[in-house]
């Protein structure tokens, strides 16, 4: 079945980690969320889909305009968290469902397809984006944000670089394989959207500074839950593990300021229109 590996992944420990770290992630990603939701500019009379909505932060943000927002995701634990948050706010203009966005049978009555980092995980991105286009009205629009390559994302890659000498060699990976950096190549993103029938494609670099922790210890916490530091904790033991953690701690400490540990992120803010 298509996207099976990702369905397993996001319903396993990764989904639980994102639920546990939801408040933290939303705080850290706020500068990028604000850029993307401002660009989406959802309106009260509109219908939107939030693809890979996860724990629902951007679904709720888009719905604050009064628009009807449907959050779709394959992760049951993350959607449970999203539903709880919507209920706490008493919102009746949001809905969530366990849905593979790539294969859902859509009706063409949506104004906006939106995503914050939820569209880089499709086995067949061209088929997925063609299918998503079927959800849009003829004048509907697409707005999403995705990561540039790791080297443009020191907020994540400096921990990886610091830990690398201590970790066993990882095998070479296909840079376009489903995962957070699958859309790092701007030409590839353009090709996906172009082939899927979108027009007026814009792929703009956005490079905000993220606060990855109020201090080094909080930054270490999240780096240990996601990304390369998680490998340190799961694959190393004893002294080597301590040495790797010290190296990561020292690398993060270089970026500690009065406002927390601050590091640059690099993302693409992508917009396009339906071409029907
Ligand atoms: C990096 S997380 C981002 C979550 C959320 N948008 C956020 O910014 O907090 C990626 C999300 O995409 C979802 N996802 C991956 N493949 C999907 C698919 N085929 N259909 C719907 N959601 C998918 C995952 O379950 C996960 O919630």
């Amino acid at each position: 079945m298509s996207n099976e590996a990702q369905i397993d992944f996001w319903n396993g420990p990764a989904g639980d980690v994102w639920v546990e770290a939801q408040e933290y992630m939303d705080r850290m990603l706020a500068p990028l969320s604000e850029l993307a939701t401002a660009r989406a500019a959802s309106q009260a009379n509109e219908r939107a889909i939030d693809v890979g909505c996860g724990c629902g932060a951007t679904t709720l943000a888009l719905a604050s305009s009064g628009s009807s927002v449907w959050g779709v995701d394959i992760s049951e634990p993350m959607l449970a968290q999203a539903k709880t948050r919507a209920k706490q706010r008493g919102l009746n203009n949001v809905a969530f469902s366990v849905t593979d966005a790539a294969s859902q049978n859509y009706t063409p009555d949506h104004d906006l397809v939106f995503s914050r980092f939820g569209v880089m995980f499709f086995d067949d991105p061209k088929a997925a984006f063609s299918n998503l286009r079927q959800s849009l009205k003829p004048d509907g629009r697409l707005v999403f944000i995705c990561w540039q390559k790791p080297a443009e994302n020191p907020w994540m890659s400096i921990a990886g670089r610091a830990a690398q000498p201590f970790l066993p060699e990882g095998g070479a990976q296909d840079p376009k394989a489903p995962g957070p950096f699958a859309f790092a190549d701007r030409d590839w993103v353009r090709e996906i959207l172009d082939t899927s029938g979108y027009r007026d494609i814009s792929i703009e670099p956005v490079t905000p500074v993220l606060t990855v922790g109020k201090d080094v210890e909080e930054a270490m916490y999240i780096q240990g839950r996601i990304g390369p530091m998680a490998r340190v904790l799961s694959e190393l033991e004893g002294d080597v593990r301590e040495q790797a953690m010290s190296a990561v701690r020292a690398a993060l400490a270089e970026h500690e300021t009065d406002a927390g540990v601050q590091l640059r992120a690099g993302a693409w803010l992508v917009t396009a229109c339906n071409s029907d």
Side-chain angles (χ1 to χ4, degrees):
M1 195 177 82
S2 185
N3 300 324
E4 198 167 6
Q6 292 295 323
I7 292 170
D8 286 348
F9 179 77
W10 291 103
N11 282 290
D16 296 335
V17 164
W18 273 74
V19 171
E20 180 195 313
Q22 173 250 306
E23 276 182 33
Y24 172 90
M25 294 302 277
D26 289 344
R27 203 172 354 116
M28 182 183 75
L29 295 175
L32 290 158
S33 299
E34 282 158 20
L35 285 166
T37 52
R39 187 62 59 88
S42 66
Q43 306 293 315
N45 56 350
E46 289 191 325
R47 286 164 57 89
I49 301 178
D50 187 3
V51 178
C53 65
C55 300
T58 48
T59 319
L60 304 181
L62 293 170
S64 66
S65 69
S67 61
S68 298
V69 192
W70 176 23
V72 301
D73 205 288
I74 49 176
S75 171
E76 303 212 19
M78 292 169 79
L79 279 172
Q81 175 77 350
K83 284 180 191 167
T84 302
R85 297 171 80 191
K87 200 169 166 193
Q88 282 165 350
R89 286 169 175 72
L91 294 177
N92 57 11
N93 57 331
V94 296
F96 295 100
S97 65
V98 181
T99 299
D100 182 342
S103 55
Q104 172 70 15
N105 196 3
Y106 296 106
T107 49
D109 51 7
H110 297 87
D111 304 277
L112 170 68
V113 167
F114 177 89
S115 186
R116 178 180 91 174
F117 304 120
V119 289
M120 306 88 83
F121 303 93
F122 302 126
D123 285 343
D124 183 344
K126 290 181 181 175
F129 273 90
S130 293
N131 188 51
L132 280 166
R133 199 166 68 76
Q134 303 311 311
S135 73
L136 285 171
K137 292 176 179 173
D139 61 349
R141 63 198 187 279
L142 171 72
V143 177
F144 69 84
I145 195 151
C146 59
W147 296 117
Q148 296 184 31
K149 61 187 180 203
E152 302 298 335
N153 280 288
W155 74 272
M156 188 189 263
S157 59
I158 70 154
R161 268 204 304 280
Q164 199 170 9
F166 304 94
L167 285 165
E169 289 253 323
Q173 284 174 348
D174 173 0
K176 292 178 185 162
F181 298 108
F183 280 17
D185 179 349
R186 190 186 201 163
D187 293 340
W188 173 231
V189 177
R190 184 172 291 282
E191 182 184 322
I192 291 167
L193 298 185
D194 204 26
T195 316
S196 313
Y198 295 85
R199 65 178 165 77
D200 297 341
I201 300 164
S202 160
I203 306 173
E204 183 188 325
V206 288
T207 57
V209 169
L210 303 184
T211 303
V212 299
K214 60 181 186 303
D215 52 28
V216 171
E217 285 318 306
E218 194 185 48
M220 289 290 286
Y221 156 77
I222 198 67
Q223 298 280 342
R225 309 299 283 158
I226 57 166
M229 258 285 286
R231 277 190 70 202
V232 170
L233 298 180
S234 67
E235 294 180 29
L236 301 180
E237 290 178 344
D239 286 352
V240 189
R241 178 164 151 170
E242 284 312 311
Q243 285 165 17
M245 291 199 31
S246 299
V248 174
R249 195 174 278 112
L252 292 169
E254 284 180 29
H255 300 273
E256 192 167 23
T257 70
D258 290 346
V261 180
Q262 299 208 309
L263 283 156
R264 192 173 52 80
W268 300 121
L269 179 54
V270 181
T271 59
C273 299
N274 190 0
S275 65
D276 285 342

